[in-house]
């Protein structure tokens, strides 16, 4: 049974940093394109970032460019999202997702994705 498990969320002050982790169980994330999405109550789920299968090319939505960095862990079992200089607007539930296809700058945020995590809360507040 495949599971994606997010960790590293929580409460942080504006301007602070968090590192989210997405760990795969029953799946080798090295062979998947892995993305982070986020969703606020009553809003559409938004693509935040993605690291591509095979290429490890990184993609970001415009609002996080220069502040967020996506990377694979050394053991290729985990994908990290380093989030810096967080404003309150980044408060959301963050989800990781994986699909066994390559992605491009025009396709990475498009669903479907094969597997999804349960989501983790990130709250930016003083």
């Amino acid at each position: 049974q495949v599971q994606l498990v997010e960790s590293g969320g929580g409460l942080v002050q504006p301007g602070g940093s968090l590192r989210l982790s997405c760990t795969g169980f029953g799946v080798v994330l090295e062979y998947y394109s892995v993305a982070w999405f986020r969703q606020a109550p009553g809003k559409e789920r938004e693509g935040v970032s993605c690291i591509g299968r095979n290429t490890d090319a990184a993609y970001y939505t415009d609002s996080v460019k220069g502040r967020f960095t996506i990377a694979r862990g050394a053991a290729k079992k985990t994908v990290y999202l380093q989030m810096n200089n967080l404003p309150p607007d980044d408060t959301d539930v963050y989800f990781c997702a994986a699909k066994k296809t390559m992605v491009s700058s025009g396709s990475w945020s498009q669903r479907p994705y094969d597997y999804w995590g349960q989501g983790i809360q990130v709250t930016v507040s003083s």
Side-chain angles (χ1 to χ4, degrees):
Q1 183 177 357
V2 174
Q3 275 190 304
L4 301 183
V5 178
E6 301 100 338
S7 60
L11 174 65
V12 63
Q13 292 189 340
S17 298
L18 282 175
R19 188 177 77 160
L20 302 182
S21 300
C22 174
T23 302
F25 296 91
V27 62
V28 181
L29 290 184
E30 178 181 4
Y31 304 124
Y32 286 75
S33 297
V34 179
W36 288 94
F37 289 79
R38 62 186 179 186
Q39 188 170 23
K43 292 190 176 180
E44 292 286 316
R45 194 167 292 188
E46 171 195 28
V48 176
S49 181
C50 180
I51 188 162
R53 173 186 175 176
N54 291 355
T55 65
D56 279 356
Y59 305 98
Y60 302 94
T61 192
D62 286 346
S63 64
V64 308
K65 285 179 181 176
R67 300 189 296 114
F68 288 14
T69 303
I70 191 168
R72 296 186 189 273
K76 306 294 187 180
K77 298 178 180 180
T78 302
V79 171
Y80 301 103
L81 185 69
Q82 178 67 42
M83 308 187 296
N84 297 328
N85 194 21
L86 288 162
D89 282 352
D90 283 337
T91 295
D92 273 321
V93 177
Y94 285 71
F95 300 85
C96 71
K99 61 181 173 182
K100 208 171 185 179
T101 55
M102 295 182 68
V103 295
S104 67
S105 59
S107 71
W108 68 268
S109 61
Q110 296 174 6
R111 283 173 269 177
Y113 271 73
D114 300 325
Y115 305 110
W116 289 85
Q118 291 295 308
I120 192 164
Q121 179 69 46
V122 170
T123 302
V124 185
S125 175
S126 56

